[in-house]
Each structure stands twice: as structure tokens, then as C-alpha cells.
Amino acid sequence: MTILLIEDEPKTGDYLQRGLAESGFAVRLARNGRDGLAIAREGGIDLVVLDVMLPGMDGWQVLAALRGAPATEQIPVLFLTARDEVHDRVRGLELGADDYLVKPFAFVELVARLRTLLRRGPVREDELIRIGGLEIDVIRRRVRRDGTPVVLTAQEFALLHLLARREGQVLSRSLIASQVWDMNFDSDTNVIDAAVRRLRRKIDDPFPQKLIHTRRGMGYVCEVEPAAGA
Amino acid sequence: MRGGTGGRRVMAGLRGSLAARVTAMFVLIVALAAAGLGTWLYLSFVAEIERRDDLALLGKLRQIQLLLGRPGAAGLLRTQPDLFRDTMSGQENSLVRFVAPDGTVLADINPGDERYPIPPATGATPGRGAIASWTSRAGAPGRVVAGTARLGSGTATPTVTVIVARAYADRSAMLTRFRHRIAGAAAISALAAALCAAWMLHRGLRPLRVVARHAALVRPGTLGHRLEAGDAPSELQPLVGALNAMLARLQEGYARLSAFSADLAHEFRTPVANLLGQSQVMLARPRSTAEYEGLLASNIEELERLARMIESMLFLARAGQDEVAPASQPLRALDELAKVADFYEGMAEDRGLHLACAGDGVVLADPALLRRALANLLSNAVRHASPGSTIVLRAEAGAGGTTLSVENTGTPIAPEHLPHLFERFYRADAARGHGDASTGLGLSIVRAIMALHGGTATVHAGEDRVRFTLHFPAGGHGQR
């Protein structure tokens, strides 16, 4: 998966390139809109991460140029913007951006959104999710751990389902608040911590193998930790 | 300089300048008055001159009649007609004609060969009414009168008709000069009036310029100054008063903004100081990877706090400028309360708190904004409630609208804090506030959200109970 990153701010460009590479993407970095457009036209790009404020040719123009050519019009584009006025977002989405992220953003959230964009098309919901000894029956809303049924509240189930569905991905607190509770603003982070603590009490505490892990400063991830954790 | 400016203003048009407009009106009035007075004086003067001339003409006629009545006058008339003309005191333009009863012209003294009408002789002593007008060849006005006279002395003296005429060439020249003078005088008085008016207006409008000069001196740092209304005329007092009131409002707003900036700097300084300090301490000597990881995680927490604050600030700034348009829709109040309660349930349980939702009603609100406001209130309540207590979320529908409230038992809030709780960065407990998720902006955001909906946010504090109330008016928000 090759991501084209068009970002003029040197530090931002560098850390994003590094972070995305470490997250398993091939990254090509362009420091201005013209170069970015040229790279996109060469082909082989699966996704474009586009900064709006660029010297010379700004993000809107790059996006318009991408959408105006048959070779590039299908490439998903995620906007990075420091401006979050509603009309800016609307303009970006109208021009054909697929998603946008307002600076400052959590890096894990960027990665989560990129994965979602790259996984586009009808997402098939697994009916049964298995992680380690955990079994989640999505249709019947039943959870078993090592064969023992675990009774969860509706919210606990929604939280577990989200974490399990995104197995291995670090999910930021704001993403969790938004997906599980429909709270789309930067709320009290303690709320998510408390909710995860309650879920852990039922899912992890009685069992030797832990599945829900805290990534300090980033969020939570659900996975079977490699050998070191055992 | 000032006069030049005034003159140019007049030239530039009457619309722009009050002084020019008033001056022009004044000049017009003065010019009309002067012209009217001049015309009246002139006409009276002309009438008087004419009267005197007519009397003189009749006098001449009388004189000639007397001359004709002397013995030997008939002979003289035949031999020395000029003698009669000389009696007209040598005035060249005096014309005399003697006509015999049978119509023959006995003598005609008329060197310029003027043609004038012969009015009928009404008797020996005609009045002014018998005088006729004529115009000389040179175009000068003339007067003519006829009278009868006895020629010579004796009993059988014949009666002759004497016609005396005069052209007043000098008079029309004089009257022309007089007219010019009157016109000149009217013009000069108008000009003088214009100058006087301009000067008086300039003086009269000085208070206005003083106000303008003072207003020009108003700067952010001098908002405390007020315009002086001491010697301003009564018409200007309301203007000065209004400007001063405006200054007072600006000063208050500016002071609030300054205080807010100071608060803001303070609030931003704390996390930045933490970031700088702990990073520098950490880099001062080699550390273990775990320590570096700890530092980074701690830095991320500080940065997240900063990001939240910036986001909240932006929200407040936009809400203050009505840039946030609430997408209001009818919502079941209890559902919304339950939703937010559900969100905080874990946190509440951790602190041994119970959440209870009660009541009913419908609110017309933007769901995202309403949730945000309720979340801020509940977050406060959960943080301050006494362990083991119950936080009650209640919805009440009344005639004036729907009221949502969040009530908790806990540390009482001192009454002096209550009016300030919704202010930005205001913290009832000065020692608290750092190191937790609070940005000090939560309640400000609640109030801003309520203002967007045309509603109000209030707080009531009892002995150990604190209740925050959100009132949504029945008719929806009033702003849009």
C-alpha cells in the first residue's frame, strides 16, 4: 500500500512519513503541491494524504487536478487541515475528498482512518470474531471467553465489538467516544478510561491472558500480545 | 488655511458640508433682502426725482406765462425768441413752443429738432396730471406740458398756447449709476454675510471639532478617557453622551478581553512549562528507554490538554460570533439525559456514584451541542459529587419551555463564586484545576451553547446540593 503524503511543513512531513512507514505503508513524500501531483500522475499510489495549506498550489487545487484526470480520479484522498470551519470541510468533501482530519490530530486516528479508506467498498461484518480465547457472536450479541459466557451491557458490548473489529489497531479515546457513544467532541478522557476499565474487569481480569491493552498517550488496542506478554 | 478649506468645501458642493449649506442659505436670504430693499429705495427715489422735475417743469411754464404777460412780449416773441429759452436758466434741453389760437406756431425753440407730442392745453395752470411723457431722439426720457397764456398786457391780448418740454438725459445716466450702486451694495452685503456666516459657523461648530479631536485620540490604552461635554451646546450633549457610553462599553469589553488574554496565557503556560521542563530534565543525562517512553506519554497528555483547550477556545470564539448554527430538532429530553448518563456511567461507578434520570419533555436543540452541554455538566457533577451519592438528571416540561437539570450532592460552592461559575477559566477552587481533564472552559461552553439555542444556563446551590439548570424556550431558539 503506497501512500503519497503532500505536506510542506518539514517536521510534520518527516514524522508522518516515519510513522506511516512504521505502520506498514510505503510512503512517498512531496513537499509541495506540484511535486505531489507529478508523483500521483506517475501512478502506483493507493491513497493521498493532502495538506490544505501548501505553497504555490494549494490542497484544493491539487485535489481538483487529481479529480480532473482519469488516471488519478479514483485515488482516495484524506485532507489534513488546520482549519475546521464547516465551509472548509464542505468544500473539501465537495471537491471529492474522501475524509478529512483537523490538526492537531492523534496519529493513531490518522492510521485508523487511512486503513478504513483503503478498505473501502462494502465492509463485510464478521458474524463471529475470535481473538485468543475470546469469541464474539456479533449477531446474537453473545461473548464467551475460554468457553465461559461473559455478560456485557449494551455499551460494553459495543466497546468490545469496536476494539475487536479493529484488532491490532490502536484506537484513540476520541474515536472510541465517537463510535460507541456518538459523542463527537473532545470529551473527558477519563470517561473512556473508566469504560475500558469496566470492560476489562469482565473480559480480562478473570483470565491470565490479557487482550485489551493501553497504549499510553495513544489509546487502546485489542490483540493477543506477542510472546513478551505471556 | 481654514478659510481655504471652507471655500473649497463650498465649491465641492453643498451636500457635503453643513457649514457650506448653512452659509449658502444665509447668503441667499441676505442677497434677497438686500435686493428687495435696494429695489424699493430705487423706485421711491425715481418717483421723487420725477415729482421734483415735474414741479420744476410746471414752474418754468409759470415763468414763461409771466414773461408773456409783460408789455411788449409779443414783439419780443417775434424778434428774440431765444430770450424765452434763456429764462429756462440756460438749459439746452429745454424746449418751448408758442402756438397762436389759430394754430400757427409763433415761435419754436427746439435746436435739436426733437419731436414731442403736444398735450392738450387744459388752462392757464395745468397740474401734474396734464404732463405727458415722451422720448428724445437720443433715447432720454422727456416730459411735456401745455398751458395757455395771454400775450402782452392790455385788454385785447390774444391767448396763446405755451408748450414746455424737457429731456432728462442726465437723469437716466444718474439713475443707471444709482442702480449699479444698489446692486453692488447688495452683492457686497451678501458677500459680507457669507464671510460672517462662515466665520460664525466655524466658531459655532468648534465643539464638534473638539469632540472629533478627542475621539481621534481614543486608543486601546486610553479607553478610560471621556469626551468633554462642558462647553458643548445642548444639541451636542446627547452625541457626546452617546459616544462616552460607547467608550465605556468598549472599555469594559476591552478589559474583559485583556483579562481573558491573561487567563489564556496563564492556562497555556502551565502545560507548555511542563512540556519544556520535564523534557529538559529528561535530556540532561542518559535515561532508560522506559523513562523516555514515560516522558513522551506524559508530553502527549499535556499536548492533548492543549489541543482540547484550543478546540474549546475556538468553539467559544465562534459561538460568540454566531458562527455555529445549531441544527435544532425536537429531541426527547429523557433519551438525551440517558445517553449522557450512559456515557458517564463507568466513571460514576468508579467513584461509587449513582446516576438517575427522571422526568419527560421535548427540547428543540442541536443533538451534538446538547450532548456536549450535558456532558460538561455531568463531568463536573461526577468530579465534585460526594462518594456514594446520587446524581439526578431531570427533565421538566413547563409552559415556558423545557428545563434540564443536573443535581449533585457534594462540596458546597460558596455563594460568591456562583455568579462567576460560567466565566472562562473561572475556578471556584483555586488549588484544583490542573492535572485533570478540566480546561476551565466547560461551563463557558455550556452557556455559549444555551445562548445559541436562545436559552439560559443557571446554577443554584443549596447547603450541600448544587444544581445546574438548562432552560430551553418553548418556541425554539430566538437567534435564528
Side-chain angles (χ1 to χ4, degrees):
Chain A
M1 287 292 171
T2 306
I3 289 176
L4 167 60
L5 176 64
I6 308 179
E7 168 64 74
D8 65 309
E9 215 282 313
K11 269 194 167 181
T12 312
D14 289 345
Y15 96 76
L16 284 179
Q17 185 178 28
R18 183 171 173 177
L20 291 174
E22 286 174 357
S23 303
F25 298 104
V27 184
R28 300 193 62 180
L29 175 62
R31 302 283 188 186
N32 64 58
R34 255 169 246 292
D35 293 355
L37 199 56
I39 293 171
R41 283 175 176 155
E42 286 169 16
I45 300 295
D46 296 301
L47 191 146
V48 177
V49 174
L50 182 59
D51 184 22
V52 174
M53 307 287 239
L54 290 170
M57 191 179 191
D58 69 26
W60 315 117
Q61 292 169 313
V62 174
L63 181 60
L66 285 175
R67 290 296 176 250
T72 53
E73 68 179 348
Q74 294 299 327
I75 305 177
V77 172
L78 182 142
F79 255 133
L80 291 185
T81 171
R83 321 197 309 176
D84 68 337
E85 277 91 354
V86 173
H87 63 89
D88 281 344
R89 305 180 200 173
V90 171
R91 186 175 168 195
L93 295 175
E94 272 176 359
L95 278 170
D98 298 272
D99 200 356
Y100 67 89
L101 209 47
V102 179
K103 292 177 181 175
F105 52 83
F107 182 75
V108 289
E109 184 148 4
L110 173 66
V111 174
R113 298 232 195 173
L114 291 179
R115 292 218 162 102
T116 310
L117 277 180
L118 288 169
R119 236 192 309 132
R120 275 227 286 197
V123 180
R124 204 181 56 81
E125 283 276 312
D126 288 325
E127 289 176 12
L128 192 69
I129 301 174
R130 276 205 185 86
I131 300 169
L134 180 71
E135 276 179 26
I136 305 172
D137 182 341
V138 179
I139 309 284
R140 292 185 189 80
R141 310 220 142 227
R142 280 186 197 147
V143 179
R144 294 164 81 86
R145 182 86 203 257
D146 299 339
T148 319
V150 184
V151 180
L152 296 180
T153 66
Q155 296 299 343
E156 286 163 353
F157 182 85
L159 176 58
L160 178 65
H161 185 207
L162 174 70
L163 285 164
R165 212 167 61 215
R166 303 277 187 94
E167 183 190 353
Q169 292 179 29
V170 182
L171 303 180
S172 69
R173 290 175 177 82
S174 64
L175 185 86
I176 294 173
S178 161
Q179 297 270 318
V180 179
W181 285 277
D182 201 15
M183 296 283 168
N184 294 299
F185 50 90
D186 276 324
S187 41
D188 225 326
T189 54
N190 294 339
V191 175
I192 310 299
D193 295 338
V196 171
R197 243 188 330 268
R198 291 205 312 163
L199 179 64
R200 272 180 171 159
R201 224 172 283 149
K202 293 183 178 172
I203 294 293
D204 274 348
D205 287 358
F207 306 95
Q209 190 186 35
K210 309 301 175 200
L211 290 176
I212 300 170
H213 310 278
T214 308
R215 293 281 182 266
R216 202 184 157 193
M218 295 203 282
Y220 295 95
V221 62
C222 176
E223 64 185 357
V224 180
E225 289 224 309
Chain B
M1 284 303 287
R2 299 251 171 201
T5 315
R8 234 177 298 133
R9 276 193 195 153
V10 174
M11 305 255 248
L14 302 180
R15 266 164 205 271
S17 156
L18 176 68
R21 220 181 303 177
V22 173
T23 303
M25 290 307 294
F26 193 65
V27 166
L28 191 67
I29 291 166
V30 170
L32 281 176
L37 183 66
T39 307
W40 183 78
L41 284 175
Y42 173 76
L43 292 177
S44 321
F45 182 67
V46 168
E48 180 61 23
I49 295 270
E50 281 176 353
R51 197 179 69 83
R52 283 168 175 251
D53 281 349
D54 287 352
L55 292 179
L57 192 69
L58 293 173
K60 289 295 169 207
L61 178 65
R62 189 100 231 113
Q63 236 177 323
I64 291 168
Q65 282 170 330
L66 288 174
L67 270 177
L68 287 177
R70 289 169 72 174
L76 276 173
L77 187 61
R78 262 194 309 279
T79 54
Q80 290 175 287
D82 285 351
L83 190 70
F84 291 93
R85 202 188 58 192
D86 291 345
T87 61
M88 311 290 268
S89 57
Q91 285 165 353
E92 294 292 320
N93 48 4
S94 295
L95 317 172
V96 186
R97 185 187 293 197
F98 302 95
V99 183
D102 58 358
T104 49
V105 176
L106 299 174
D108 188 5
I109 302 159
N110 188 355
D113 198 19
E114 294 286 354
R115 303 168 73 85
Y116 48 87
I118 315 285
T122 51
T125 51
R128 276 193 78 200
I131 300 174
S133 293
W134 60 282
T135 306
S136 77
R137 294 163 74 107
R143 299 286 274 174
V144 56
V145 69
T148 55
R150 289 184 173 274
L151 188 57
S153 58
T155 48
T157 49
T159 304
V160 295
T161 304
V162 180
I163 299 147
V164 184
R166 242 193 104 169
Y168 301 100
D170 54 340
R171 191 175 81 182
S172 58
M174 181 195 70
L175 288 179
T176 305
R177 274 201 308 279
F178 191 53
R179 275 202 305 277
H180 288 166
R181 274 190 200 172
I182 287 178
I188 286 169
S189 59
L191 187 69
L195 289 175
C196 286
W199 178 76
M200 271 166 46
L201 279 170
H202 185 73
R203 262 186 73 91
L205 293 180
R206 193 163 55 189
L208 210 55
R209 283 193 302 280
V210 170
V211 168
R213 208 163 46 238
H214 284 171
L217 292 177
V218 173
R219 305 250 180 291
T222 64
L223 283 176
H225 294 290
R226 291 289 174 270
L227 306 181
E228 287 153 31
D231 60 342
S234 60
E235 289 87 346
L236 280 185
Q237 300 280 1
L239 176 68
V240 172
L243 286 175
N244 279 337
M246 182 185 82
L247 279 178
R249 288 195 299 275
L250 281 178
Q251 186 187 14
E252 190 198 325
Y254 198 79
R256 223 182 306 135
L257 201 62
S258 301
F260 177 54
S261 305
D263 285 346
L264 192 61
H266 172 77
E267 294 297 324
F268 278 136
R269 202 170 274 152
T270 314
V272 169
N274 288 349
L275 284 168
L276 272 176
Q278 63 192 16
S279 301
Q280 283 166 346
V281 166
M282 202 58 76
L283 276 180
R285 63 179 62 171
R287 312 273 176 184
S288 70
T289 312
E291 280 176 304
Y292 285 129
E293 281 174 359
L295 169 74
L296 285 177
S298 162
N299 281 358
I300 285 173
E301 280 156 15
E302 293 296 326
L303 290 167
E304 279 177 342
R305 202 162 96 190
L306 275 175
R308 264 200 310 280
M309 261 159 61
I310 292 169
E311 197 275 335
S312 298
M313 295 294 319
L314 270 178
F315 179 86
L316 282 174
R318 284 184 198 150
Q321 292 171 5
D322 288 350
E323 282 179 30
V324 181
S328 292
Q329 58 190 73
L331 302 166
R332 261 202 78 205
L334 197 59
D335 289 350
E336 294 302 318
L337 292 180
K339 213 164 186 172
V340 181
D342 185 59
F343 185 50
Y344 275 94
E345 202 179 286
M347 204 168 133
E349 199 173 274
D350 279 1
R351 304 192 182 197
L353 298 166
H354 303 283
L355 300 179
C357 299
D360 204 1
V362 172
V363 286
L364 201 60
D366 180 319
L369 294 180
L370 173 63
R371 248 169 256 162
R372 186 172 188 164
L374 287 173
N376 285 353
L377 292 185
L378 196 48
S379 156
N380 259 358
V382 167
R383 214 173 292 133
H384 295 114
S386 340
S389 68
T390 300
I391 297 172
V392 181
L393 296 93
R394 194 176 284 116
E396 280 167 297
T402 305
T403 303
L404 308 181
S405 63
V406 176
E407 185 173 342
N408 72 274
T409 314
T411 340
I413 301 176
E416 69 262 27
H417 294 309
L418 288 180
H420 304 289
L421 280 184
F422 289 100
E423 286 172 16
R424 296 165 187 195
F425 296 126
Y426 189 84
R427 287 193 172 99
D429 180 1
R432 195 194 56 76
H434 296 299
D436 64 15
S438 165
T439 56
L441 293 170
L443 288 176
S444 305
I445 288 176
V446 171
R447 189 173 60 175
I449 288 173
M450 290 316 291
L452 285 173
H453 287 86
T456 50
T458 45
V459 57
H460 306 274
E463 273 180 24
D464 62 342
R465 299 192 72 72
V466 180
R467 187 171 80 237
F468 284 91
T469 308
L470 307 181
H471 178 76
F472 289 83
H477 47 89
Q479 292 201 351
R480 265 163 241 272

